[in-house]
């Protein structure tokens, strides 16, 4: 294949940067580049890619023209790296979920007539009905969340239809707020894109459709019929169906790339643009999660990803359409108290040393002498609790443990037992071929992964997939162009398999199964006490 084979380009417009990765036909990374918004585009005055106003801290927006400018800069950076754009057969991408872009009237014409002689941002500076796009960190839409839930008879019904109860960061409530508070902006909007479909629109030179998976983060899409729910559309703004356009599967081959990129960067006029999706569905692709696997990302917050055959409605957690298999779903469970809480206990019990923390962890037996605890520095999403809650063998609530090693094990076991309990609620059970795929900063800690393996009674694997979202986008580009001949597994067969790090001890299930049941009873009690206080 040498230097002349086909390549695929993946993009990821995340909160802080726009990233690109070019892979060859075997999906091996050839080149990477990124534009970091704060440093590379200081004129937009973002902090972490975001603009927050002091006077209204719940509002979080990003300048959409900054994202436009970043695309030209990124392609220029790749050119400087020596990327031969003529070899790129397909481009796909992903973006931070939930953010919305409001194209002003007449913008479709601007997109269709992009001139290669000028930068994109020069041509699109008047293309937005509002220059500031609300993003996923915004939490200013409580009133709209309430309205959307009431429209369909409550949170459970909304979750049943759209995969999630109303969340302030979700696009439906965000659109409804624009309509309610800035009717002029809403009226001047020709098309509303998600951040993902917005980047795809820049590449095809026309409005690109929203894909099912990213569309599942809006509180507007019926995840079963894959069509907008008319009641929810009506509650969020007039003529919204027209403004949102049709929805498509994530692996839809949309169109050839706009002539702008052919003339300006030397892309082939045959290069295809594939629908873009959300960063979380793209991560699922990048991790190559299979049906019986569970991915556990251990970072600032911890996130679980599961493949679902059928959508299951629960009061917490998100069900999204699966980006690879049109008939399947995925679930994403976010736990806010991740590494900060682990670091707090490391500091208090192990003098700030991970090595001592691990020694303490290893010196206590599985099951921790019957002690079980929950630690929450900030209000947790699932379950809705805050503070430290320690219990002894007799289920009495106690204020502290007598030894540091018990405290350390109680933290790690408590965090993983919670994950097993909520994964099981979504129907996860360990099958003979199940793998727990650990990612994120804490996945380098083997002592902790051993507990993860024991609690789930399944082997734990790690993969070097720090960039799982952008890689997932590149894999999606190839998959979309070859899915008629090869399935996803065959297309990604050249990528090294995740490495086995830990296997469960033979007594693990007999210890942790009862602890999961105990955890459920404890949480129910704590929630009940909160309700009655
Ligand atoms: C998911 C979410 C974030 C964004 C940020 O619901 O809000 O993960 O996708 O990238």
């Amino acid at each position: 294949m040498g230097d002349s084979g086909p390549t695929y380009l993946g993009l990821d417009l995340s909160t802080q940067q726009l990233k690109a990765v070019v892979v060859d036909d075997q999906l091996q990374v050839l080149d990477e580049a990124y534009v970091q918004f704060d440093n590379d585009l200081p004129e937009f005055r973002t902090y972490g890619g975001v603009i927050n106003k002091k006077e209204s801290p719940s509002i979080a927006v990003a300048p959409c023209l900054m994202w436009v400018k970043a695309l030209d800069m990124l392609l220029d950076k790749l050119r400087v790296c020596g990327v031969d754009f003529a070899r790129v057969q397909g481009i796909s991408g992903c973006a931070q979920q939930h953010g919305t872009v409001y194209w002003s009237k007449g913008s479709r014409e601007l997109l269709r007539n992009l001139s290669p002689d000028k930068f994109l941002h020069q041509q699109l500076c008047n293309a937005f009905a509002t220059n500031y796009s609300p993003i996923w960190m915004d939490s200013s839409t409580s009133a709209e969340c309430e309205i959307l839930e009431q429209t369909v008879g409550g949170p459970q019904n909304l979750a049943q239809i759209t995969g999630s109860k109303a969340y302030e960061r979700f696009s439906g409530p965000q659109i409804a707020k624009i309509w309610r508070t800035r009717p002029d902006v809403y009226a001047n909007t020709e098309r509303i894109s998600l951040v993902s479909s917005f980047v795809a629109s820049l590449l095809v030179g026309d409005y690109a459709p929203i894909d099912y998976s990213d569309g599942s983060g809006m509180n507007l899409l019926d995840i079963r019929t894959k069509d907008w729910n008319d009641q929810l559309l009506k509650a969020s703004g007039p003529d919204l169906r027209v403004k949102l356009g049709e929805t498509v599967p994530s692996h839809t081959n949309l169109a050839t790339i706009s002539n702008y990129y052919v003339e300006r960067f030397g892309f082939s006029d045959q290069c295809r643009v594939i629908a873009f999706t959300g960063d979380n569905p793209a991560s699922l692709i990048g991790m190559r999660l299979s049906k019986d696997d569970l991915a556990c990302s251990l970072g600032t917050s911890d996130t679980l990803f599961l493949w679902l055959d059928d959508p299951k409605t629960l009061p917490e957690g998100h069900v999204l359409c699966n980006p690879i298999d049109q008939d399947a779903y995925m679930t994403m469970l976010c736990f806010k108290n991740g590494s900060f809480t682990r670091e707090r206990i490391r500091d208090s019990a192990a003098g700030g040393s991970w090595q001592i923390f691990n020694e303490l962890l290893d010196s206590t037996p599985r099951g921790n002498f019957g002690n079980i605890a929950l630690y929450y520095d900030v209000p947790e999403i699932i379950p809705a609790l805050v503070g430290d809650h320690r219990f002894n063998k007799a289920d009495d609530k106690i204020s502290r443990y007598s030894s540091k090693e018990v405290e350390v094990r109680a933290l790690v076991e408590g965090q993983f037992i919670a994950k097993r309990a909520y994964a099981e609620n979504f129907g996860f059970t360990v099958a003979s071929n199940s793998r727990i795929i650990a990612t994120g900063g804490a996945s380098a800690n083997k002592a902790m992964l051993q507990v993860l393996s024991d609690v789930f009674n399944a082997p734990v694997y790690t993969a070097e997939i720090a960039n799982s979202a952008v890689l997932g986008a590149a894999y999606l580009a190839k998959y979309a162009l070859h899915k008629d001949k090869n399935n996803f597994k065959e297309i990604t067969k050249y990528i090294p398999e995740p490495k086995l790090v830990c296997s469960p001890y033979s007594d693990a299930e007999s210890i942790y199964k009862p602890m999961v049941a105990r955890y459920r009873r404890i949480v129910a009690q704590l929630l009940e006490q909160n309700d009655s206080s």
Side-chain angles (χ1 to χ4, degrees):
M1 191 187 326
D3 289 341
S4 59
T7 61
Y8 302 89
L9 172 63
L11 300 176
D12 176 15
L13 198 162
S14 64
T15 316
Q16 308 203 29
Q17 56 189 346
L18 175 64
K19 259 180 264 161
V21 51
V22 180
V23 298
D24 66 14
D25 207 29
Q26 301 195 339
L27 303 179
Q28 304 307 307
V29 174
L30 297 177
D31 290 288
E32 285 173 279
Y34 64 88
V35 170
Q36 219 210 352
F37 302 135
D38 296 359
N39 295 336
D40 295 328
L41 290 157
E43 63 273 33
F44 290 97
R45 307 177 73 92
T46 57
Y47 185 75
V50 188
I51 295 176
N52 283 110
K53 293 211 180 84
K54 254 203 203 115
E55 59 282 13
S56 25
S58 61
I59 296 181
V61 293
C64 36
L65 210 54
M66 172 179 81
W67 294 334
V68 171
K69 211 168 172 183
L71 181 60
D72 264 332
M73 285 175 78
L74 183 72
L75 293 173
D76 268 327
K77 281 195 175 189
L78 287 172
R79 178 167 42 198
V80 171
C81 294
V83 170
D84 178 2
F85 290 116
R87 288 170 60 191
V88 179
Q89 292 214 331
I91 307 177
S92 187
C94 64
Q96 47 175 300
Q97 292 203 253
H98 319 299
T100 37
V101 176
Y102 300 79
W103 297 96
S104 57
K105 290 201 170 135
S107 294
R108 175 169 240 161
E109 280 315 295
L110 291 178
L111 279 171
R112 284 179 171 168
N113 294 296
L114 291 170
S115 157
D117 301 331
K118 291 189 196 142
F119 287 115
L120 287 172
H121 70 272
Q122 291 170 319
Q123 304 180 67
L124 296 175
C125 55
N126 293 320
F128 306 105
T130 170
N131 288 328
Y132 296 99
S133 286
I135 63 155
W136 66 280
M137 293 162 103
D138 186 285
S139 58
S140 64
T141 63
S142 309
E144 288 75 18
C145 285
E146 184 79 40
I147 295 170
L148 285 191
E149 288 184 344
Q150 305 236 315
T151 300
V152 291
Q156 186 67 16
N157 287 359
L158 187 61
Q160 173 72 19
I161 300 166
T162 70
S164 298
K165 69 174 194 187
Y167 284 90
E168 282 145 332
R169 68 187 191 285
F170 273 43
S171 326
Q174 293 291 344
I175 294 169
K177 185 184 152 201
I178 298 257
W179 172 46
R180 189 173 61 81
T181 59
R182 301 172 70 194
D184 50 327
V185 167
Y186 188 86
N188 188 31
T189 298
E190 182 171 87
R191 180 74 167 228
I192 300 173
S193 291
L194 291 179
V195 185
S196 57
S197 61
F198 151 80
V199 186
S201 303
L202 297 177
L203 288 164
V204 293
D206 201 346
Y207 293 145
I210 292 174
D211 76 295
Y212 299 158
S213 298
D214 210 7
S216 320
M218 297 177 77
N219 281 142
L220 296 177
L221 187 79
D222 183 324
I223 57 168
R224 289 172 182 79
T225 63
K226 324 286 197 232
D227 188 15
W228 304 117
N229 176 288
D230 280 315
Q231 269 180 300
L232 293 166
L233 290 187
K234 206 168 154 214
S236 306
D239 301 324
L240 193 47
R241 186 174 273 279
V242 178
K243 290 188 201 279
L244 289 173
E246 54 161 358
T247 54
V248 295
S250 310
H251 41 75
T252 303
N253 182 343
L254 294 178
T256 49
I257 194 166
S258 153
N259 184 53
Y260 175 85
Y261 306 88
V262 176
E263 300 277 328
R264 199 172 167 95
F265 297 99
F267 279 91
S268 150
D269 59 5
Q270 298 303 305
C271 172
R272 304 295 304 185
V273 179
I274 311 308
F276 279 40
T277 189
D279 52 3
N280 294 298
S283 275
L284 183 101
I285 304 174
M287 292 186 285
R288 293 181 302 139
L289 202 74
S290 316
K291 247 185 199 178
D292 295 312
D293 297 341
L294 175 143
C296 179
S297 156
L298 299 168
T300 310
S301 49
D302 292 346
T303 311
L304 290 190
F305 292 101
L306 281 176
W307 179 291
L308 292 182
D309 280 333
D310 298 303
K312 195 164 177 177
T313 311
L314 290 178
E316 298 294 347
H318 310 294
V319 177
L320 312 179
C321 296
N322 190 298
I324 289 294
D325 180 343
Q326 222 169 295
D327 299 322
Y329 295 84
M330 61 178 277
T331 185
M332 180 173 83
L333 301 170
C334 302
F335 301 84
K336 269 198 200 160
N337 293 274
S339 55
F340 286 136
T341 309
R342 290 187 283 273
E343 283 160 19
R344 169 168 67 92
I345 302 297
R346 175 203 64 189
D347 293 346
S348 64
S353 154
W354 281 122
Q355 195 189 329
I356 298 175
F357 181 96
N358 291 348
E359 284 166 15
L360 293 170
L361 185 58
D362 284 340
S363 69
T364 36
R366 288 178 287 291
N368 207 9
F369 307 108
N371 296 297
I372 188 166
L374 320 174
Y375 300 84
Y376 305 115
D377 292 15
V378 292
E380 187 48 87
I381 306 174
I382 12 181
L385 292 171
V386 69
D388 294 343
H389 307 273
R390 299 176 183 84
F391 295 85
N392 65 15
K393 194 176 177 180
D395 274 347
D396 296 323
K397 194 164 181 186
I398 53 175
S399 60
R400 62 185 187 87
Y401 287 126
S402 53
S403 78
K404 290 172 173 175
E405 42 272 49
V406 168
E407 175 93 334
V408 165
R409 185 164 274 275
L411 162 81
V412 180
E413 287 188 346
Q415 287 195 332
F416 293 150
I417 287 171
K419 291 181 176 65
R420 172 165 164 182
Y422 296 107
E424 283 179 356
N425 290 354
F426 272 96
F428 178 75
T429 48
V430 170
S432 57
N433 59 337
S434 285
R435 302 175 302 177
I436 311 287
I437 301 175
T439 67
S443 67
N445 184 322
K446 199 172 164 206
M448 228 151 24
L449 295 191
Q450 182 61 53
V451 180
L452 180 63
S453 175
D454 288 329
V455 167
F456 275 89
N457 193 32
V460 170
Y461 293 74
T462 54
E464 283 171 35
I465 37 182
N467 288 331
S468 57
V470 73
L471 285 173
Y475 303 168
L476 181 61
K478 175 157 187 197
Y479 173 64
L481 296 180
H482 296 88
K483 64 180 192 296
D484 295 342
K485 281 180 246 105
N486 294 111
N487 65 27
F488 182 70
K489 218 178 164 137
E490 282 155 0
I491 283 170
T492 56
K493 69 181 176 199
Y494 304 105
I495 302 167
E497 286 299 323
K499 285 194 197 89
L500 175 67
V501 204
C502 307
S503 297
Y505 282 94
S506 57
D507 60 356
E509 187 61 354
S510 66
I511 294 167
Y512 289 110
K513 198 172 177 201
M515 281 180 86
V516 173
R518 247 182 97 198
Y519 167 86
R520 291 182 191 284
R521 284 199 300 275
I522 287 172
V523 167
Q525 255 171 33
L526 290 171
L527 290 172
E528 209 171 291
Q529 283 161 15
N530 272 4
D531 281 350
S532 55
S533 63

